Amino acid sequence: DHNLVLMIFQFQLHLKKYGTLFIMLQKNKIIVKYMYELQYTKPSNTTSAVAEFYKSQEGKYLAGGMTLIPTLKARLASSDLLIDLKDSSLSGISVTSTNVVIGSMTRHCDVANSVDIKKSIPSLDKLAGGIGDHMVSNCGTMGGSVAKNDPSAC
């Protein structure tokens, strides 16, 4: 049936000048797009992440990537360097008698499944549990949603 979306075939051709070219077959049409050339780094701490950012011209911090990656793919933003913060010790939940601290790299699913959050702020547990689908919940971060003012994460 011509109305069905055909499997998308992606062939990557690395071009020196134009970045990575994607050739896709979708609904019997050939779609050609290209992404900007960019580098990737995964520093082990925040000091190294900041140093990498200042060495780049258009560096972007990568948290869960649920907003940033589609934005880059749609060419609504560009970057010469993605700085992955996964190993930067910015995740975790700490609850005391007076404070609840949620690290910016803490995933939505970690907040939703936290026994400490369920006891301290039950509404936050329910909110985090209802954010997005499984992919967003397991990859998206609290800090990314706040930083991007992402309405789908509210």
Side-chain angles (χ1 to χ4, degrees), residues 6-153:
L6 297 175
M7 291 179 63
I8 297 174
F9 297 97
Q10 291 187 348
F11 303 96
Q12 292 186 10
L13 303 173
H14 296 285
L15 304 175
K16 291 180 183 178
K17 186 175 180 183
Y18 298 107
T20 302
L21 181 68
F22 293 94
I23 302 171
M24 299 175 282
L25 176 62
Q26 185 177 30
K27 291 187 179 180
N28 293 328
K29 294 180 183 176
I30 295 175
I31 300 168
V32 178
K33 295 182 180 182
Y34 73 91
M35 285 182 58
Y36 295 109
E37 235 1 92
L38 58 88
Q39 300 296 314
Y40 171 86
T41 185
K42 192 174 182 184
S44 59
N45 57 57
T46 54
T47 303
S48 298
V50 171
E52 291 289 339
F53 178 81
Y54 282 113
K55 287 193 292 189
S56 69
Q57 291 183 9
E58 286 188 276
K60 299 268 191 262
Y61 292 112
L62 177 64
M66 302 312 305
T67 302
L68 179 60
I69 298 301
T71 302
L72 290 171
K73 280 183 169 182
R75 301 177 65 82
L76 298 172
S78 63
S79 178
D80 63 334
L81 177 66
L82 288 182
I83 306 160
D84 192 339
L85 298 176
K86 187 173 183 174
D87 293 338
S88 62
S89 303
L90 292 173
S91 64
I93 299 168
S94 171
V95 177
T96 66
S97 60
T98 57
N99 292 315
V100 173
V101 177
I102 300 172
S104 59
M105 288 292 296
T106 305
R107 299 174 305 158
H108 301 297
C109 65
D110 295 330
V111 174
N113 295 322
S114 169
V115 174
D116 291 332
I117 293 294
K118 287 178 185 181
K119 288 179 186 174
S120 304
I121 312 172
S123 58
L124 182 58
D125 150 47
K126 292 189 187 318
L127 174 73
I131 293 175
D133 57 16
H134 290 293
M135 184 69 170
V136 171
S137 178
N138 289 317
C139 294
T141 62
M142 297 299 286
S145 296
V146 171
K148 296 294 183 187
N149 193 22
D150 193 344
S152 63

